[in-house]
Amino acid sequence: MWKGGGPGGNPEAAVESTGVEPGAQGNRGLEGAPGLLARASLPIALPWPLPLASSAITVLLGALTPLFLWYCYRLGSQDLRALGAGTQAGGVGGEPGGCPESGSSGEPGEGPGTGGLVSRRLRAYARRYSWAGMGRLRRAALGGPGPGGGPAAPGIQRPGLLFLPDLPSAPFVPRDAQRHDVELLESSFPAILRDFGAVSRDFSGTAPLPRGWSPALAPGCYQLLLYQAGRCQPSNCRRCPGAYRALRGLRSFMSANTFGNAGFSVLLPGARLESRCGPTNARVRCHLGLKIPRGCELVVGGEPQCWAEGHCLLVDDSFLHTVAHNGSPEDGPRVVFIVDLWHPNVAGAERQALDFVFTPDS
């Protein structure tokens, strides 16, 4: 005899407890399935309405997006400022710390952060284009003990920002390496000398500083730049038409690179600049002698040389060098016209990459 599930054997109690008719026990699993499915499909109650949650997430994302964009902009601006500060500290901008021919003081003033920035920008350029034809730049960017993240330079060659390994280097570069530009500058010697006479000044220090001339960067050292850190100085170029015309005709002038400068450099008697070093071995500095009194000397990598009026001297200023004017006050100042040229062994693909990485600020 069947008995109910209640304490007193009451069938109604069993119905109430199970929700199934007594006669339906045999096929309870099939006929009860629709009810179970209906109960399982009931909506789950959320802590708050779903539309409200979506609105809150949308508002949060909208607030975070401008903050993220601002953060990216801030990082990019800091990188550019760091690179600019490093190139100026390396003597490429004509800022305090050395005359145009002197470069930096030989101490890496930009620190390791700028070298890492240079390596990052070189790698970013290669990802966008390729490393084809840029083996030296690749080795310089992949890391190492050098100041730019690459291999270290010899002891007497200390570029403060970028060292390209395996680049044939010597303190003085043969004239034939840049024959076209050397001959063009030497043929323009009369016009460039006239331009200097038009913008010359009293360098005794008693007269006010004329327009276009930079303040004394070091005792007895003055300059007037037509190009500064790869940027044309329009007012100075207009005042020196012969020199500007010569610059426009050069084939290897670093005119679109922060390593590129061009202008007049004046050294007074008694002035001396010691243990200087430029920012990179990827360039050579062409010195056209304009006024060379006695007692002037240039020592690069331990090798002494002297300028000659009307002739060019090609110098790799990444070597330690000293500039001196040992003459008397009656001899007058030493005046040279200096132009930064690409090193003759830097390939076209390497020049394009360095112009991209060291582009002048707009």
Side-chain angles (χ1 to χ4, degrees), residues 127-138:
R127 284 194 300 269
R128 184 174 178 179
Y129 300 99
S130 72
W131 285 116
M134 299 189 296
R136 284 186 291 255
L137 285 182
R138 184 175 187 178

Side-chain angles (χ1 to χ4, degrees), residues 26-47:
N27 52 5
R28 171 182 172 182
L30 294 177
E31 295 182 4
L36 292 176
L37 291 175
R39 287 194 297 272
S41 63
L42 290 176
I44 300 175
L46 296 174

Side-chain angles (χ1 to χ4, degrees), residues 158-177:
R158 303 176 186 173
L161 190 61
L162 177 69
F163 173 68
L164 297 186
D166 302 329
L167 187 66
S169 298
F172 294 96
V173 179
R175 291 165 46 90
D176 289 343

Side-chain angles (χ1 to χ4, degrees), residues 316-360:
D316 185 343
D317 72 329
S318 66
F319 287 85
L320 286 172
H321 57 278
T322 298
V323 183
H325 187 344
N326 300 317
S328 63
E330 293 77 17
D331 294 326
R334 182 234 59 180
V335 183
V336 294
F337 186 71
I338 298 179
V339 185
D340 288 329
L341 306 177
W342 284 104
H343 191 287
N345 292 101
V346 176
E350 294 173 324
R351 294 184 184 186
Q352 184 176 356
L354 291 177
D355 278 342
F356 176 85
V357 172
F358 294 98
T359 182

Side-chain angles (χ1 to χ4, degrees), residues 78-98:
Q78 289 175 349
D79 278 355
L80 290 176
R81 285 196 297 270
L83 181 61
T87 54
Q88 290 181 0
V92 301
E95 295 296 329

Side-chain angles (χ1 to χ4, degrees), residues 6 8 12 16 20 35 42 102 104 117 138 140 206 219 259-260 293 307 332:
E12 287 79 7
E16 291 178 0
V20 181
L42 290 176
S102 63
S104 70
L117 173 61
R138 184 175 187 178
T206 58
F259 292 137
W307 302 272

Side-chain angles (χ1 to χ4, degrees), residues 57-70:
I57 293 175
T58 303
V59 171
L60 181 61
L61 291 177
L64 291 178
T65 300
L67 292 176
F68 176 75
L69 295 176
W70 173 84

